[in-house]
Amino acid sequence: MNKGKIKQILLITDGCSNQGEDPAAMAALAKEHGIVVNVIGVMENYETDDHGMKEIDNIASAGGGVSQVVQTKQLSQTVQMVTRQAMTQTIKGVVNQELQDILGDSKSMEDLPPEKRGRVMEVVDDLGETVDLEVCILVDTSASMKTKLPTVREALLDLSLSLTSRMGKNQFCLYTFPGKRKDTSKIMSWTPKIDHISQVFSKLASGGVTPTGPAIRDVIKSFSTSSRRHLISHDDEAYDDGPRY
Amino acid sequence: MMMKPMMMDQDIKLHSGTRIYGKWHKKNYQIIRHLGSGAQGTVYLAHSNQGEVAIKFGKDPSSLISEVNILKRFVALQGDPLGPYLYDVDDWVTNKGTINFYVMECIKGVTLDDSIRHKGFEWTCVFILQLLKDLSRLHELGFVFGDLKPENLMITESNYRIRCLDFGGTTQIGRSIKEYTEFFDRGYWGMGIRKAEPSYDLFAVMMIFIYAAEKRRFNKTEHPRDELIKKIKTNPKLKPFEKILLKALGGQFHHANDMRQAFLYKMNETNRIDSRITRRRTASSPSKKRYQKKKSVSGWIGASVWAVVIITLYVMYTVLYVM
Ligand SMILES: Nc1ncnc2c1ncn2[C@@H]1O[C@H](COP(=O)(O)OP(=O)(O)O)[C@@H](O)[C@H]1O
Ligand SMILES: [Mg+2]
């Protein structure tokens, strides 16, 4: 964010994790890395899956992000809304921090009179439009997700439509879990063009367990290698990861 | 700070008689009844010192700020109002937390959605012309409405004038659209990105037209573009406007006024067709049918010719007078 950059993990899943670390803990870890975790729960219809819903909520809370449970057909609009809201939320967090530095004590935007709040919101809007955004998309491809994948694909294309309409730059990458032999597999490296997802999506295999926690832990690295690469060397092609501009 | 994930579907329920007290400006309001709800907020009719007003309560602490910013700009505008008049913006402290609200002029009437369902297509045509005039002014101010749809448009009962509500999606030209609804969004139909430019709104106007003719929203299938084109070419209400609608579909109108002129011209030319459709619609109502049976065939034709003439005059009158 210091450099005008927002990092997000967008987790798309349909239910409960059943392997490895607690996903909420891993989301909290992501947050420590300056990465916000948003979660979208895809349900066939509102199955009353309290446990799954709770987990989805917890991951987003711990990851400083936004969560939403939707029916498959509403996915497109929700994905872009959640991404956008989380972005605004992150910026607001930063703006609030600044406000606290300026105004002292525990003042936040909501403590300002409506007139001033309006002006601060314009700044938030400006930033939301121009800030660079990195989204690591993490899709649950465990057996139960199989029928939902075509809709997920469409929702992601729709997301790209919204994000490319912004003035700021965007970078995306795509991971799925469970992977073949590992918890996670990388489907697409960082790219400004999410449309590439179209081609890779048809090749996605689904099936297996749901290691949500380990998957979050894994993709945190996709962001951090980018900063490591910058620190170590600029032309080390051994690191395929990390957004490039 | 920002730790709580936002909840996006809670609706604010208030009983009639509930007293609202503004934390900052210390004004009192009393709830009368619910007026409507949407994705961002809930609107209630309320008593105030200025008489009856509409109060919109935000679902999250800052969802209303950007539309308030827009409404504030309108207050200083000359001419017909572009949105409801803004009276007050404040916070209401309840024991469950603070709710952000703003107070505006209550627009008496029905939404365009109700109007489409209960009134003839010729009315929609007139309302679209009015709408295009307002959009043209909004675009000139440097904004695109964004979430254009029948629920966000009201028809005043006093003078049959369309009024825009809900400026939550209103976006500065050149930026990305803040809020939209799939059916009316060109992005959903694969007809362009969600960048705020006049042609974005004009696509939505075209979709409102299609919606008014079809009277339903439909989902896209494999070839969304062809589907819309087919609707335009086959629906008898849309057919006369084919050229204009296809142009709006392709994003080729860059000014609301150009689209308005094109409609105006076409309506003068084709209002006979419109009227014939109107007649057919009213002719199928049960009371008319009984009446028709008694008449001879030639008498019926005579009556219907008269009906066409009268309705034509009527449409021309509304086009000229109401606007
Ligand atoms: N000023 C007003 N006067 C009368 N009715 C209103 C007014 N503002 C809103 N409404 C009613 O409330 C509904 C929801 O308001 P809207 O501003 O569209 O909320 P949202 O931003 O959540 O969509 C509208 O569809 C309309 O029926
Ligand atoms: Mg609305």
Side-chain angles (χ1 to χ4, degrees):
Chain A
M1 187 57 209
N2 300 340
K3 297 179 225 147
K5 194 185 280 182
I6 288 183
K7 298 174 183 177
Q8 292 185 352
I9 292 172
L10 176 66
L11 169 64
I12 302 179
T13 177
D14 71 345
C16 314
S17 63
N18 52 20
Q19 205 178 57
E21 294 96 338
D22 181 351
M26 293 304 101
L29 180 63
K31 197 175 160 204
E32 290 306 311
H33 281 89
I35 305 163
V36 165
V37 185
N38 299 318
V39 194
I40 291 173
V42 208
M43 308 276 162
E44 209 63 78
N45 35 49
Y46 289 111
E47 306 143 18
T48 40
D49 179 4
D50 285 342
H51 184 64
M53 293 245 221
K54 192 125 195 269
E55 183 177 289
I56 284 163
D57 235 47
N58 285 341
I59 300 174
S61 299
V66 176
S67 71
Q68 180 76 358
V69 175
V70 288
Q71 286 173 276
T72 318
K73 65 173 162 48
Q74 302 162 320
L75 195 61
S76 289
Q77 195 149 21
T78 308
V79 166
Q80 70 83 27
M81 203 158 80
V82 160
T83 305
R84 195 177 183 112
Q85 285 204 347
M87 204 163 69
T88 313
Q89 195 170 307
T90 306
I91 295 169
K92 260 199 238 156
V94 175
V95 170
N96 273 341
Q97 194 73 59
E98 302 266 304
L99 281 178
Q100 273 171 38
D101 291 348
I102 300 168
L103 304 172
D105 42 61
S106 54
K107 284 264 193 303
S108 79
M109 230 177 113
E110 277 73 41
D111 300 319
L112 293 173
E115 296 74 29
K116 295 226 175 80
R117 207 181 301 161
R119 242 170 294 146
V120 174
M121 195 61 195
E122 277 176 11
V123 175
V124 171
D125 264 5
D126 278 354
L127 283 170
E129 185 66 30
T130 51
V131 78
D132 291 343
L133 180 66
E134 290 171 4
V135 188
C136 175
I137 302 157
L138 182 56
V139 181
D140 173 353
T141 51
S142 61
S144 55
M145 281 292 287
K146 191 171 172 121
T147 53
K148 295 161 189 166
L149 289 180
T151 326
V152 172
R153 171 179 163 261
E154 200 170 305
L156 293 177
L157 289 176
D158 190 85
L159 174 68
S160 96
L161 203 63
S162 280
L163 294 182
T164 51
S165 309
R166 291 184 335 121
M167 292 156 95
K169 293 197 190 84
N170 307 290
Q171 289 275 339
F172 310 93
C173 70
L174 176 66
Y175 284 75
T176 60
F177 65 100
K180 278 227 175 66
R181 243 162 254 110
K182 300 168 289 174
D183 290 322
T184 328
S185 59
K186 179 166 81 182
I187 304 297
M188 194 180 78
S189 310
W190 288 103
T191 164
K193 295 218 156 158
I194 210 179
D195 336 4
H196 295 173
I197 282 182
S198 245
Q199 296 120 40
V200 293
F201 238 81
S202 48
K203 288 180 241 149
L204 287 188
S206 50
V209 291
T210 317
T212 314
I216 296 176
R217 187 200 58 213
D218 280 354
V219 298
I220 293 174
K221 284 182 227 140
S222 81
F223 290 95
S224 43
T225 40
S226 79
S227 37
R228 234 185 290 147
R229 187 185 56 186
H230 286 296
L231 286 177
I232 300 168
S233 87
H234 281 270
D235 46 15
D236 186 355
E237 281 303 313
Y239 291 103
D240 184 35
D241 283 346
R244 262 170 248 169
Y245 293 98
Chain B
M1 231 169 43
M2 71 171 203
M3 255 161 290
K4 244 196 253 140
M6 277 183 237
M7 281 296 148
M8 291 188 279
D9 15 47
Q10 66 217 15
D11 207 7
I12 295 140
K13 288 202 182 67
L14 299 174
H15 293 289
S16 127
T18 306
R19 283 186 185 282
I20 311 295
Y21 178 66
K23 170 182 166 184
W24 302 93
H25 304 140
K26 319 238 175 280
K27 289 201 179 129
N28 275 299
Y29 303 94
Q30 193 173 18
I31 298 295
I32 301 174
R33 66 183 167 82
H34 178 255
L35 284 175
S37 308
Q40 300 303 318
T42 313
V43 181
Y44 282 90
L45 180 68
H47 288 297
S48 80
N49 291 339
Q50 287 117 313
E52 285 186 358
V53 291
I55 305 184
K56 183 165 177 178
F57 297 91
K59 283 187 183 171
D60 79 72
S62 51
S63 62
L64 301 182
I65 300 179
S66 78
E67 55 185 285
V68 166
N69 280 344
I70 302 286
L71 290 178
K72 272 190 192 150
R73 284 177 187 257
F74 295 165
V75 172
L77 277 190
Q78 306 280 314
D80 284 342
L82 273 179
Y85 191 85
L86 180 70
Y87 294 120
D88 189 16
V89 190
D90 215 326
D91 291 329
W92 177 37
V93 183
T94 72
N95 48 18
K96 284 190 196 129
T98 302
I99 301 174
N100 184 220
F101 69 87
Y102 72 84
V103 182
M104 64 185 139
E105 164 193 8
C106 176
I107 296 174
K108 303 257 177 204
V110 295
T111 64
L112 179 64
D113 208 27
D114 291 322
S115 159
I116 284 171
R117 264 182 268 133
H118 299 118
K119 281 188 154 173
F121 191 68
E122 71 278 21
W123 275 105
T124 305
C125 295
V126 173
F127 295 142
I128 293 277
L129 288 175
Q130 297 176 351
L131 175 63
L132 285 167
K133 201 192 237 170
D134 282 358
L135 285 178
S136 160
R137 289 173 65 213
L138 184 65
H139 296 164
E140 254 164 51
L141 285 175
F143 291 94
V144 155
F145 188 85
D147 197 6
L148 209 53
K149 57 176 170 181
E151 299 92 303
N152 284 343
L153 297 165
M154 280 194 82
I155 310 300
T156 59
E157 71 189 8
S158 58
N159 61 352
Y160 298 109
R161 178 90 177 73
I162 203 164
R163 295 282 298 270
C164 295
L165 290 176
D166 191 0
F167 289 78
T170 303
T171 310
Q172 224 170 303
I173 287 179
R175 298 191 162 192
S176 56
I177 296 290
K178 282 191 189 139
E179 243 178 79
Y180 61 87
T181 302
E182 279 184 348
F183 183 79
F184 302 94
D185 162 49
R186 74 173 178 196
Y188 173 80
W189 294 99
M191 296 305 299
I193 59 172
R194 300 194 174 108
K195 203 181 244 327
E197 47 195 20
S199 57
Y200 184 88
D201 274 349
L202 300 180
F203 181 92
V205 171
M206 179 224 47
M207 288 307 297
I208 292 178
F209 220 73
I210 293 187
Y211 171 76
E214 295 275 324
K215 299 218 176 184
R216 68 187 184 97
R217 294 187 192 181
F218 40 91
N219 291 327
K220 66 175 173 190
T221 50
E222 278 291 287
H223 306 286
R225 182 169 171 269
D226 298 344
E227 203 177 324
L228 292 179
I229 293 177
K230 196 176 156 209
K231 288 246 152 54
I232 292 171
K233 293 194 176 205
T234 54
N235 187 310
K237 287 179 186 162
L238 300 175
K239 186 89 182 80
F241 303 102
E242 180 183 333
K243 248 178 142 175
I244 302 166
L245 296 174
L246 290 181
K247 204 170 162 185
L249 178 91
Q252 287 146 346
F253 279 116
H254 299 292
H255 299 284
N257 228 349
D258 294 347
M259 188 166 167
R260 184 173 182 273
Q261 289 305 326
F263 264 131
L264 205 53
Y265 182 77
K266 201 76 207 164
M267 278 170 200
N268 290 340
E269 202 176 72
T270 50
N271 56 26
R272 282 184 65 96
I273 294 172
D274 284 350
S275 315
R276 229 177 293 143
I277 288 159
T278 315
R279 178 181 55 73
R280 226 185 282 143
R281 191 179 46 78
T282 43
S284 63
S285 73
S287 59
K288 278 263 172 73
K289 252 184 208 148
R290 243 181 288 126
Y291 174 67
Q292 284 157 15
K293 266 180 206 149
K294 289 185 205 147
K295 292 214 160 202
S296 71
V297 177
S298 62
W300 189 84
I301 290 170
S304 72
V305 167
W306 266 111
V308 170
V309 171
I310 288 166
I311 291 168
T312 306
L313 285 172
Y314 185 58
V315 169
M316 278 170 65
Y317 167 78
T318 42
V319 167
L320 293 173
Y321 177 76
V322 179
M323 299 198 342

